[in-house]
């Protein structure tokens, strides 16, 4: 369990390319593994979570290989062609792999047993088990809803008309992916719009999918059993990983950083708007399209941030970025208050509890609520000096690595290994920009 010590007051300078988007990388592997023909993917995130997806799709019959120059080639089995794996599949830390794959498996006549690490085995799966049971799949899960679990898919899947009870792109995608091998039309009605990478990629691969707004409800309809065309895709940089650099460059005096080719899907860009609302100096330049997704370069200069109590951003557009936003708030002038965030308690860790504990351990005053947090900004003078427990949560680890860059004393992160799940090049990339990060044994 190597620790990571973060301390510096050195400005971050230069430009960097952030690794590929995790959500898009998962979907690119899953959907190209169901296409007929060869797909070619570049810029795929080569983090542990995405590798878990690749291994699972291989175990169910797809051919996935990395060729020279970082290109990935996938030979699909066709919709309906998944096979029962020869062994249990281990999803590691990845909730996205687990939930989306459960959707795919549910409408195939296969049986799969899945497990994962301590964090993943503690995450609720009822949110996908419930709708997928209506599709016709059956489940044997520990305590009804936790991994390890065995899923038996059905030969006669039922097309759902489903309204997820929580804002969740994973639940939406699981239902849509089950709809792929289901005759008839599968409908998902979202009360809150969530990231739409599944919809965009299915449309790009020739599926008959429509998205319409009915009042406040976003209605997605997918006609089942399409023949998916293979794709040639360049995965944009991950805005969720970029968020760590956006905050670091905003809070360390004198910083000036450019990030190239960051994915700016409008259902993912809440972190940019939130930081701008707090006074950050971020400009969006060179806007373009890459693989059906909007992309741009981001230019960030350090700025004096102020607290925010009326965040004008929909939490679903930045659900993974709250931990690092809390760190930005800890450095700001004035108090910040964030609510409506109960979903943060069921991420890779209970992110409200862990962020509150980590901030307190580093001298920041916080009040934790059931669904949020209040943070008293230290006006540029975070004491630091504490050790943070990361509980297998990559984003907690990286958030405090960022905060340590401006704290008065170093911040120690107890375990740096989870960073490899989503941003394996984080430490080196940050060091290249000038960050002070020391990996322990
Ligand atoms: C993801 C959806 C989000 C997010 C996760 C990735 C996806 O989860 O937190 O990191 O790729 O669909 P929820 O759907 O649980 O909000």
């Amino acid at each position: 369990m190597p620790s990571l010590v973060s301390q510096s007051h050195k400005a971050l300078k230069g430009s960097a390319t952030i690794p590929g988007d995790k959500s898009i990388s998962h979907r690119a592997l899953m959907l190209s593994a169901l296409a007929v023909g060869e797909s070619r993917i570049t810029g795929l995130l080569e983090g542990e979570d995405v590798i878990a997806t690749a291994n699972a799709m291989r175990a169910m019959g797809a051919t996935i290989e990395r060729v020279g120059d970082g290109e990935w080639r996938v030979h699909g089995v066709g919709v309906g062609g998944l096979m029962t794996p020869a062994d249990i599949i281990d999803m590691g830390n990845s909730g996205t792999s687990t939930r989306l794959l459960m959707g795919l498996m549910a409408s195939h006549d296969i049986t799969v047993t899945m497990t994962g690490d301590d964090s993943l085995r503690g995450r609720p799966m009822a949110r996908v088990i419930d709708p997928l049971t209506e599709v016709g799949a059956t489940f044997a899960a520990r305590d009804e809803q936790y991994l390890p679990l065995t899923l038996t898919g059905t030969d006669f899947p039922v097309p759902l008309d489903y309204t997820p009870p929580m804002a969740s792109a994973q639940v939406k995608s699981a239902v849509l992916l089950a709809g792929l091998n289901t005759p008839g039309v599968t409908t998902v009605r979202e009360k809150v719009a969530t990231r739409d990478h599944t919809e965009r990629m299915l449309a790009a691969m020739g599926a008959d999918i429509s998205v319409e707004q009915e009042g406040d409800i976003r209605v997605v309809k997918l006609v089942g059993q399409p023949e998916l065309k293979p794709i040639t895709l360049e995965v944009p940089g991950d805005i969720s990983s970029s968020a760590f650099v956006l905050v670091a460059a905003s809070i360390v005096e004198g910083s000036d950083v450019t990030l190239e080719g960051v994915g700016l899907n409008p259902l993912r860009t809440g972190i940019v708007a939130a930081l701008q609302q707090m006074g950050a100096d971020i400009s969006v330049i060179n806007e373009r399209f890459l693989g059906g997704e909007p992309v741009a370069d981001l230019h960030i200069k350090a700025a004096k941030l102020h607290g925010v109590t009326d965040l004008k951003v929909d939490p679903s557009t930045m659900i993974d970025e709250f931990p690092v936003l809390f760190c930005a708030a800890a450095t700001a002038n004035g108090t910040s208050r964030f609510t409506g965030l109960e979903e943060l308690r069921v991420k890779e860790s209970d992110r409200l509890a862990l962020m509150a504990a980590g901030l307190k351990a580093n001298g920041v005053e916080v009040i934790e609520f059931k669904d949020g947090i209040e943070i008293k900004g230290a006006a540029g003078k975070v004491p630091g000096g504490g050790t943070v427990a990361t509980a297998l949560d990559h984003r907690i680890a990286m958030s405090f690595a960022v905060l340590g860059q401006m704290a008065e004393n170093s911040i120690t992160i107890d375990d740096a290994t989870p960073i490899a799940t989503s941003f394996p090049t984080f430490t080196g990339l940050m060091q290249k920009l000038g960050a002070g990060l020391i990996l322990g044994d």
Side-chain angles (χ1 to χ4, degrees):
M1 200 160 107
S3 60
L4 183 65
V5 177
S6 171
Q7 186 179 25
S8 171
H9 288 278
K10 220 173 117 201
L12 300 176
K13 300 261 184 191
S15 61
T17 305
I18 300 290
D21 187 272
K22 181 155 75 74
S23 294
I24 296 175
S25 296
H26 283 303
R27 288 157 172 83
L29 287 177
M30 290 179 198
L31 294 179
S32 55
L34 288 181
V36 176
E38 184 185 80
S39 293
R40 293 173 179 220
I41 308 163
T42 49
L44 189 87
L45 171 64
E46 295 179 351
E48 289 168 4
D49 282 11
V50 175
I51 302 301
T53 290
N55 288 338
M57 296 313 297
R58 285 184 183 121
M60 291 188 287
T63 305
I64 302 179
E65 51 189 10
R66 185 184 196 279
V67 293
D69 294 341
E71 183 180 280
W72 288 70
R73 293 208 184 143
V74 182
H75 288 264
V77 295
V79 169
L82 295 180
M83 297 180 314
T84 291
D87 200 352
I88 289 173
I89 55 177
D90 186 348
M91 307 317 307
N93 189 256
S94 182
T96 309
S97 312
T98 307
R99 294 186 176 130
L100 268 56
L101 287 175
M102 282 165 73
L104 280 185
M105 294 162 182
S107 56
H108 281 76
D109 183 19
I110 59 176
T111 297
V112 188
T113 301
M114 303 166 104
T115 191
D117 71 6
D118 278 357
S119 156
L120 187 58
R121 280 185 278 110
R123 297 186 67 186
M125 295 298 154
R127 55 183 60 200
V128 281
I129 291 177
D130 291 348
L132 298 178
T133 301
E134 287 181 43
V135 169
T138 53
F139 295 86
R142 182 174 57 86
D143 291 339
E144 316 251 293
Q145 72 145 330
Y146 296 105
L147 263 51
L149 65 74
T150 298
L151 175 161
T152 302
T154 175
D155 229 357
F156 302 101
V158 176
L160 296 195
D161 185 332
Y162 192 69
T163 303
M166 70 289 287
S168 169
Q170 292 180 354
V171 173
K172 167 178 66 179
S173 300
V175 172
L176 290 174
L177 294 181
L180 267 184
N181 195 35
T182 300
V185 178
T186 293
T187 306
V188 180
R189 298 174 196 272
E190 287 192 293
K191 291 185 263 190
V192 176
T194 62
R195 66 190 72 191
D196 61 353
H197 308 300
T198 305
E199 295 94 305
R200 284 176 189 251
M201 208 177 288
L202 281 170
M205 295 175 77
D208 184 350
I209 184 164
S210 67
V211 181
E212 267 162 33
Q213 200 65 35
E214 289 181 9
D216 287 345
I217 309 289
R218 184 173 176 275
V219 184
V220 185
K221 286 186 189 288
L222 172 68
V223 178
Q225 299 183 315
E227 181 172 307
L228 295 180
K229 291 185 297 205
I231 35 167
T232 300
L233 179 71
E234 194 176 335
V235 180
D238 196 327
I239 178 71
S240 298
S241 298
S242 304
F244 301 105
V245 184
L246 294 185
V247 172
S250 296
I251 65 177
V252 183
E253 226 181 299
S255 297
D256 187 330
V257 173
T258 302
L259 296 180
E260 283 153 14
V262 180
L264 289 185
N265 180 306
L267 293 167
R268 295 284 297 282
T269 48
I271 183 64
V272 177
L275 287 169
Q276 284 170 335
Q277 197 186 330
M278 293 171 75
D281 181 350
I282 302 172
S283 17
V284 177
I285 45 184
N286 196 10
E287 289 179 77
R288 53 209 190 264
F289 266 85
L290 198 63
E293 295 272 351
V295 166
D297 302 337
L298 298 177
H299 182 204
I300 315 108
K301 287 199 221 156
K304 294 254 176 285
L305 300 186
H306 51 80
V308 60
T309 49
D310 63 335
L311 188 67
K312 293 186 182 68
V313 169
D314 194 323
S316 69
T317 63
M318 56 168 293
I319 196 67
D320 292 333
E321 287 70 76
F322 280 100
V324 79
L325 186 73
F326 297 165
C327 289
T331 72
N333 272 313
T335 296
S336 294
R337 198 166 201 274
F338 305 103
T339 54
L341 302 178
E342 47 281 281
E343 274 292 304
L344 294 193
R345 294 207 182 271
V346 291
K347 293 294 177 187
E348 285 82 331
S349 70
D350 176 342
R351 287 184 173 159
L352 288 175
L354 255 73
M355 286 306 300
L359 288 171
K360 276 186 204 157
N362 286 289
V364 181
E365 280 180 48
V366 303
I367 305 170
E368 184 186 339
F369 320 117
K370 210 168 138 227
D371 72 335
I373 193 166
E374 187 173 292
I375 300 167
K376 191 164 168 215
K381 293 210 171 309
V382 171
T387 297
V388 176
T390 50
L392 294 178
D393 189 332
H394 53 138
R395 299 201 199 279
I396 301 285
M398 290 185 275
S399 297
F400 283 100
V402 164
L403 187 62
Q405 296 305 300
M406 61 70 69
E408 293 177 333
N409 299 288
S410 62
I411 293 181
T412 303
I413 290 106
D414 70 344
D415 181 12
T417 47
I419 293 172
T421 61
S422 69
F423 195 168
T425 55
F426 171 78
T427 306
L429 184 147
M430 289 289 285
Q431 285 166 334
K432 229 172 127 201
L433 293 174
L437 292 173
I438 302 160
L439 264 175
D441 298 326

